Amino acid sequence: MALIAVVVFLITYALIVDERINRAVAAMAGAAVLVFLWIVPWDSLLDHVDFGTIFLLMGMMIIVNVASNSGLFEYLAIITAKAAKGSPIMVLVLFSCVTAVTSAFLDNVTTVLLMTPMLLYIAKVMDLNPIPFLLAEILSSNVGGMATLIGDPPNIMIASAAGLTFNEFLLTMAPIAIVDLLVVLLIFYVIYGRKMKVDDAGKAAIKKTINALDERAAIQDTVLFKKSIIALAIVIMLFFMHNNIGEILHTFLPFVDSSMTLEPAEVALIGAALILFWSRKSPEVIFEKVEWTALFFFGGLFILVGGLVETGVINDLALMMTSSLTSTGEAMFVIAWFSAIASAIVDNIPLTVALIPLIQDIGLNAPNIDIYPLWWALSLGACLGGNGTAIAASANVVVLGIAEREGIKITFFDLLKIGMFVLVVTVAIGLGMLYIMF
């Protein structure tokens, strides 16, 4: 059974890379084979699908689609383009920094859903190739998501298992994220800087074109514009408070259970319902713009990885990689690189689920190894591994899906070429910083 699960996974992965078959179709076909062969039993099928991720994506897609009808993203895009003063590389730097910071406090999927329409609009206005901007956005979102406890799902799971606090994550991982972001921007400057350079006349022409744009004129519906800002503000506020919403409400409403929490997916669905109800927009029109292919791709991918989990492949591979560890430093090295490379191939959520009990077992069976630094090594690898391939992180799939819908083709190898290089460099730097800390 394990061999069949691996073969199905590899064939499906090859089809995804090949791209002659739509990746959602390939993932669903592979998942169907595993279910048909009872490798993933029907009774446990739903256990492997992360509906938190699916509903979070769906809710935020609805919010973004409604807000986009107001001209909100064009408005913000024009302001950002003007701040860059006609320099394409400054646009890339500004958007990368904003994406990274936002991803640290919202999940990176929500961030790219908000940022991608703005980037595409700016690239169109400045008559620039949007691919470097979109690639920088993907990489920056994954680096930024590593910085805090709530930035990326693996961090949430690691913090829960290890009892780590928000401040611990901020003090340990945020400095690494800042350094890695600077390195990513330097890499993009070296690779794309010359291609983005324009002479003084060109820069003046771009600046003139941008300055001629009126951000106020970009607002298509003033009422919806204001409602969208309020709805987004409420959603962002709920994301910040979702873990202690019960305590906050209990202060004003004593009958509310103080232990109540909201999952990020619940926040997204609440926001989607609010903005649909308040805006009075036709749900049929809004739902047509939801990236259904991305959602079905994730569903199929979760089941494919579920087959590797069900047959024990992921767990056996992790045990094999860590069975001969003798020191904390060696364990940090193995876990960081194993989780980074594996996360570039499979989704980092089930991988993190498999590695958490493994680290706990190391703590029980190897008293000479301090497992505290291992949690940070896992966070480093699982988050930065998302930069490796087109399907390594949810944000990657969403950005590529939006780009494809707009007629922009970013192939698997386009991201692989720069993504794997960034993965290796950023993990090496992060691991070095962790060695210094611990």
Side-chain angles (χ1 to χ4, degrees):
M1 285 296 187
L3 179 60
I4 296 174
V6 171
V7 169
V8 171
F9 178 85
L10 292 176
I11 292 174
T12 305
Y13 198 85
L15 291 174
I16 292 169
V17 172
D18 183 66
E19 295 186 329
R20 278 182 283 189
I21 297 176
N22 183 281
R23 59 177 176 266
V25 175
M28 290 174 64
V33 171
L34 293 182
V35 173
F36 178 76
L37 296 176
W38 209 247
I39 293 173
V40 178
W42 180 258
D43 294 341
S44 64
L45 181 69
L46 299 183
D47 295 335
H48 295 293
V49 178
D50 186 354
F51 284 101
T53 298
I54 299 293
F55 287 125
L56 173 64
L57 284 167
M58 186 187 301
M60 290 310 302
M61 285 174 180
I62 292 170
I63 293 170
V64 169
N65 286 336
V66 174
S68 65
N69 288 326
S70 71
L72 173 62
F73 301 119
E74 288 84 352
Y75 175 87
L76 295 174
I78 293 170
I79 290 177
T80 305
K82 286 183 175 180
K85 301 185 183 301
S87 170
I89 195 68
M90 279 304 298
V91 171
L92 187 146
V93 170
L94 284 174
F95 265 95
S96 296
C97 291
V98 171
T99 298
V101 172
T102 308
S103 293
F105 296 99
L106 296 178
D107 71 280
N108 48 13
V109 172
T110 300
T111 300
V112 298
L113 280 169
L114 295 172
M115 301 296 291
T116 304
M118 292 188 275
L119 266 178
L120 292 175
Y121 181 78
I122 285 182
K124 183 178 181 181
V125 168
M126 298 178 72
D127 193 25
L128 297 169
N129 178 9
I131 292 178
F133 297 93
L134 295 175
L135 292 176
E137 179 191 12
I138 288 171
L139 302 181
S140 299
S141 70
N142 290 322
V143 171
M146 174 181 66
T148 68
L149 187 154
I150 60 174
D152 216 3
N155 286 0
I156 297 173
M157 293 185 287
I158 291 167
S160 176
L164 303 175
T165 66
F166 185 91
N167 288 338
E168 281 180 291
F169 260 95
L170 198 62
L171 292 173
T172 304
M173 301 307 290
I176 297 174
I178 292 170
V179 174
D180 278 346
L181 177 63
L182 293 175
V183 171
V184 170
L185 293 176
L186 179 61
I187 291 171
F188 268 84
Y189 180 78
V190 171
I191 296 175
Y192 295 106
R194 290 183 179 179
K195 298 177 183 177
M196 290 184 178
K197 279 185 179 179
V198 292
D199 56 25
D200 292 339
K203 186 179 290 187
I206 292 174
K207 191 174 180 180
K208 183 179 179 180
T209 301
I210 292 174
N211 288 336
L213 297 172
D214 183 0
E215 57 269 24
R216 294 182 181 179
I219 301 173
Q220 302 167 21
D221 186 329
T222 304
V223 175
L224 182 59
F225 180 85
K226 294 176 181 178
K227 289 180 179 180
S228 298
I229 292 175
I230 294 171
L232 282 168
I234 292 171
V235 169
I236 292 170
M237 181 181 66
L238 288 176
F239 273 126
F240 274 110
M241 301 188 309
H242 72 95
N243 273 334
N244 56 355
I245 188 71
E247 296 176 13
I248 296 170
L249 291 177
H250 184 75
T251 304
F252 304 99
L253 303 170
F255 60 85
V256 174
D257 186 353
S258 61
S259 64
M260 183 185 79
T261 61
L262 284 176
E263 292 296 322
E266 292 179 278
V267 172
L269 290 177
I270 289 170
L274 170 64
I275 199 167
L276 278 172
F277 180 80
W278 200 13
S279 69
R280 302 295 183 181
K281 289 290 179 181
S282 168
E284 289 85 0
V285 174
I286 299 301
F287 291 162
E288 283 180 1
K289 296 180 181 179
V290 171
E291 295 290 331
W292 295 109
T293 52
L295 298 181
F296 279 104
F297 171 74
F298 279 121
L301 195 61
F302 283 134
I303 296 170
L304 281 168
V305 176
L308 301 180
V309 173
E310 284 279 347
T311 55
V313 172
I314 289 180
N315 192 55
D316 289 345
L317 186 58
L319 285 172
M320 181 180 67
M321 292 290 294
T322 57
S323 59
S324 59
L325 299 177
T326 57
S327 67
T328 301
E330 185 183 352
M332 289 171 63
F333 180 89
V334 171
I335 287 175
W337 284 111
F338 174 74
S339 57
I341 294 170
S343 291
I345 300 171
V346 301
D347 190 88
N348 57 12
I349 294 173
L351 182 77
T352 304
V353 170
L355 289 179
I356 283 174
L358 181 74
I359 293 176
Q360 292 169 333
D361 287 345
I362 291 174
L364 294 174
N365 301 320
N368 59 314
I369 296 179
D370 179 11
I371 68 168
Y372 184 74
L374 304 189
W375 297 118
W376 305 117
L378 175 58
S379 171
L380 179 80
C383 294
L384 294 181
N387 282 331
T389 66
I391 64 170
S394 305
N396 306 16
V397 177
V398 171
V399 172
L400 297 184
I402 295 173
E404 187 175 3
R405 188 183 68 192
E406 298 297 325
I408 301 164
K409 183 66 173 177
I410 302 177
T411 68
F412 187 93
F413 289 102
D414 286 335
L415 182 54
L416 181 68
K417 285 184 290 187
I418 190 169
M420 286 303 296
F421 178 67
V422 166
L423 182 156
V424 171
V425 173
T426 54
V427 171
I429 292 171
L431 192 55
M433 292 180 70
L434 285 178
Y435 276 131
I436 294 171
M437 292 179 193
F438 300 107

